[in-house]
Structure formats: C-alpha cells, structure tokens
Amino acid sequence: MPAPLRIAVLASGRGSNLAALLAAREAGSLPVEFAGVFSDRAACGALSIARDAGVPALALSPRDHFDRLAFDEALFAAVEAVQPALIVCAGYMRIIEAVVVERFEGRMINIHPSLLPAYQGLRTHERVLRAGDRVHGASVHFVSAELDAGAVIAQARIAVGDGDTPESLARRLLPHEHRLLAACVGLFARRRVAPTPFGVALDGALLQEPLRLADDGTLRDAAGGRA
Ligand code: GRF
C-alpha cells in the first residue's frame, strides 16, 4: 500500500466537494492526507469545513495584492510550502495565471460542471438548457494554461429533463460531482493515473476517451470495464 497521497485543495465557495473528499477519506475509501485548504475568500464555507476537520486552512485576499500574478504567486507559494503531490481545485473560481499553472502542470486537477470540451467557463447549466442538450455532466481534468482545456480524466453524466432549470441541474449534478472527484483523486492516490503529452494514461495505457462514472460510483472505461 503506497503512503497516503498529500493533497492540497483550492476552493472559493461552500466546499461540498471538499466535504465529499473528507468523507471519503473518513470512510477509508480515499488514501489521502490533507496538506492544506487554500482560498481566495476568507469567509467561504470550504475554509470552515477544513478547520472543523482539523486541516490547515489559509485564505489570501486578491485585494491585498498588486495584481493577479502577485496574488497567484503568494497563494501558490503557500500551497507549495505544504508540499502536496496533487493540487485539487474544487470550486476554485479564479483563473490562475499561466506561468503559475505551468509550474504545477500534471499535478493539478479541477472539477468543472460540464461535459468538456463543451461549455468551458461559467454558467454551464444555463448554457446547456439554452442549447437544448439532453445530456449534461461534469468533468475532472488536468489544469493547463488554457482555461478548462486540459486533458479530461473522467466524466459523470446526467439526463436533462423537460422541467429542468439551471438550479435543478446544478442540484442534481452535485452528488455526481462529489463521487466523480473522489473517484478521480482515488486514482491518483493509488498512483494509477498520469499525464502524458498525448493525453491521460491509466495504468500506463493512454485513455482513448475519458473514464465514465457508473451508477455504482465506480469509474468505467470506454468498453464498460471497471477502471
Ligand atoms: C461545483 O459545482 C463545481 O463544479 C463548480 O463550483 C461548484 C463548487 O461547489 N465549479 P462546492 O463549493 O464544492 O460546494
């Protein structure tokens, strides 16, 4: 059994994805060690969740820094100081400067509420409804310098119903996001996933398409086999 993976979590909001990771660790299904939780918002729920769980938590305010780069340099210096093997952006709502992202490429992931490459950026639920899509979902991907454009590791899908609103889609998707993120972090904790110049490798073999979250919470490959 490898040593627990040291992870740092970045979050800006209520922190339900962070809570899901903490719960999975508590349940014994996620062999990770929380090195720290970092935020750009001092009053966010994620920081309280971290502190309640005894995880070191730090917020820096963008207003206290000269520009975006100065803020990112300060925040990521603090992140680097706790020596995480993986940085998990879980509802972190700021764009990170490319020079900083590049320093962490291959060891930073993000959860995004759409089936990437569709709907990069904000207001994904609204845009899915406006387009009349019948399927929506969430993606966990490597963070690269271009926003929401890094290689996708795995996705969760939900059907869009006739009566759905942006709020109902967000609410219905959220529990899938939680399972998806925990499952993906689990792949890293078990040292099974790695970035390559050609895409994501799982157990040393290039994924032809992102893994999919199945109803039982496991990740499946394109052929439906358990990842
Ligand atoms: C999630 O829906 C995530 O996909 C999006 O922001 C939300 C964060 O939720 N980018 P929480 O703060 O983890 O509850």
Side-chain angles (χ1 to χ4, degrees):
M1 196 56 169
L5 188 79
R6 269 179 83 75
I7 65 169
V9 178
L10 269 57
S12 303
R14 93 200 119 173
S16 70
N17 279 286
L18 168 65
L21 294 177
L22 286 162
R25 197 260 323 248
E26 278 312 296
S29 57
L30 190 60
V32 298
E33 180 188 344
F34 288 82
V37 172
F38 301 85
S39 184
D40 56 332
R41 291 189 198 158
C44 75
L47 287 182
S48 321
I49 289 170
R51 292 191 180 113
D52 288 350
V55 176
L58 174 76
L60 295 184
S61 169
R63 279 197 299 270
D64 295 340
H65 295 81
F66 175 67
D67 59 11
R68 185 192 295 277
L69 181 59
F71 173 78
D72 286 349
E73 291 287 8
L75 189 76
F76 278 86
V79 171
E80 216 162 7
V82 303
Q83 299 187 306
L86 181 71
I87 300 169
V88 181
C89 298
Y92 184 65
M93 300 309 287
R94 279 180 72 81
I95 293 172
I96 305 163
E97 282 286 342
V99 287
V100 176
V101 170
E102 276 158 13
R103 222 175 289 152
F104 295 95
E105 225 162 308
R107 55 188 185 106
M108 178 152 59
I109 61 172
N110 178 49
I111 180 147
H112 179 77
S114 82
L115 293 172
L116 291 172
Y119 307 113
Q120 298 163 339
L122 297 173
R123 300 193 322 282
T124 57
H125 314 301
E126 207 178 301
R127 289 155 67 202
V128 159
L129 288 173
R130 211 181 310 134
D133 294 356
R134 303 312 289 172
V135 180
H136 185 29
S139 306
V140 171
H141 64 96
F142 282 103
V143 177
S144 63
E146 203 185 326
L147 183 69
D148 298 332
V152 178
I153 301 161
Q155 295 180 319
R157 288 168 187 254
I158 61 168
V160 179
D162 288 336
D164 265 318
T165 62
E167 295 70 34
S168 71
L169 276 184
R171 190 174 54 247
R172 291 201 298 110
L173 186 59
L174 196 62
H176 298 268
E177 291 185 41
H178 296 162
R179 287 196 291 275
L180 179 68
L181 186 61
C184 287
V185 173
L187 291 180
F188 283 89
R190 295 177 180 91
R191 283 40 170 196
R192 297 188 55 204
V193 66
T196 80
F198 313 104
V200 178
L202 179 72
D203 301 331
L206 210 56
L207 284 181
Q208 297 308 312
E209 53 185 78
L211 297 169
R212 270 206 205 190
L213 186 75
D215 290 343
D216 63 2
T218 60
L219 292 170
R220 305 273 165 164
D221 62 21
R226 196 171 164 161

